[in-house]
mmCIF file of all heavy atoms in Angstrom:
data_model
loop_
_atom_site.group_PDB
_atom_site.id
_atom_site.type_symbol
_atom_site.label_atom_id
_atom_site.label_comp_id
_atom_site.label_asym_id
_atom_site.label_seq_id
_atom_site.Cartn_x
_atom_site.Cartn_y
_atom_site.Cartn_z
ATOM 1 N N SER A 724 -7.644 -4.733 0.650
ATOM 2 C CA SER A 724 -8.216 -3.399 0.787
ATOM 3 C C SER A 724 -7.947 -2.772 2.135
ATOM 4 O O SER A 724 -7.927 -1.562 2.269
ATOM 5 C CB SER A 724 -9.725 -3.441 0.525
ATOM 6 O OG SER A 724 -10.378 -4.244 1.465
ATOM 7 N N ASN A 744 -20.132 0.604 6.532
ATOM 8 C CA ASN A 744 -21.357 1.076 5.910
ATOM 9 C C ASN A 744 -21.227 0.992 4.397
ATOM 10 O O ASN A 744 -20.107 1.060 3.870
ATOM 11 C CB ASN A 744 -21.678 2.524 6.303
ATOM 12 C CG ASN A 744 -21.838 2.671 7.810
ATOM 13 O OD1 ASN A 744 -22.472 1.906 8.450
ATOM 14 N ND2 ASN A 744 -21.198 3.710 8.347
ATOM 15 N N GLY A 751 -25.439 11.929 -9.874
ATOM 16 C CA GLY A 751 -25.844 13.215 -9.312
ATOM 17 C C GLY A 751 -26.244 13.187 -7.862
ATOM 18 O O GLY A 751 -26.442 14.243 -7.249
ATOM 19 N N ALA A 795 -10.645 17.185 -2.476
ATOM 20 C CA ALA A 795 -11.588 16.455 -3.309
ATOM 21 C C ALA A 795 -10.807 15.427 -4.116
ATOM 22 O O ALA A 795 -9.831 15.760 -4.785
ATOM 23 C CB ALA A 795 -12.325 17.418 -4.252
ATOM 24 N N ARG A 797 -11.205 11.892 -6.701
ATOM 25 C CA ARG A 797 -12.034 10.957 -7.480
ATOM 26 C C ARG A 797 -11.694 9.539 -7.012
ATOM 27 O O ARG A 797 -10.528 9.119 -7.106
ATOM 28 C CB ARG A 797 -11.750 11.079 -8.970
ATOM 29 C CG ARG A 797 -12.422 12.282 -9.611
ATOM 30 C CD ARG A 797 -12.082 12.282 -11.097
ATOM 31 N NE ARG A 797 -12.599 13.448 -11.739
ATOM 32 C CZ ARG A 797 -13.616 13.440 -12.614
ATOM 33 N NH1 ARG A 797 -14.198 12.316 -12.952
ATOM 34 N NH2 ARG A 797 -14.037 14.563 -13.168
ATOM 35 N N LEU A 798 -12.693 8.860 -6.511
ATOM 36 C CA LEU A 798 -12.554 7.464 -6.079
ATOM 37 C C LEU A 798 -13.370 6.618 -7.037
ATOM 38 O O LEU A 798 -14.522 6.976 -7.337
ATOM 39 C CB LEU A 798 -13.062 7.260 -4.677
ATOM 40 C CG LEU A 798 -12.448 8.115 -3.552
ATOM 41 C CD1 LEU A 798 -13.134 7.808 -2.219
ATOM 42 C CD2 LEU A 798 -10.966 7.900 -3.447
ATOM 43 N N VAL A 817 -20.333 12.959 -4.291
ATOM 44 C CA VAL A 817 -21.309 13.022 -5.358
ATOM 45 C C VAL A 817 -20.974 11.940 -6.373
ATOM 46 O O VAL A 817 -19.796 11.696 -6.660
ATOM 47 C CB VAL A 817 -21.375 14.395 -6.017
ATOM 48 C CG1 VAL A 817 -20.090 14.770 -6.750
ATOM 49 C CG2 VAL A 817 -22.589 14.534 -6.924
#
Side-chain angles (χ1 to χ4, degrees):
S724 63
N744 301 316
R797 283 181 184 250
L798 304 178
V817 66

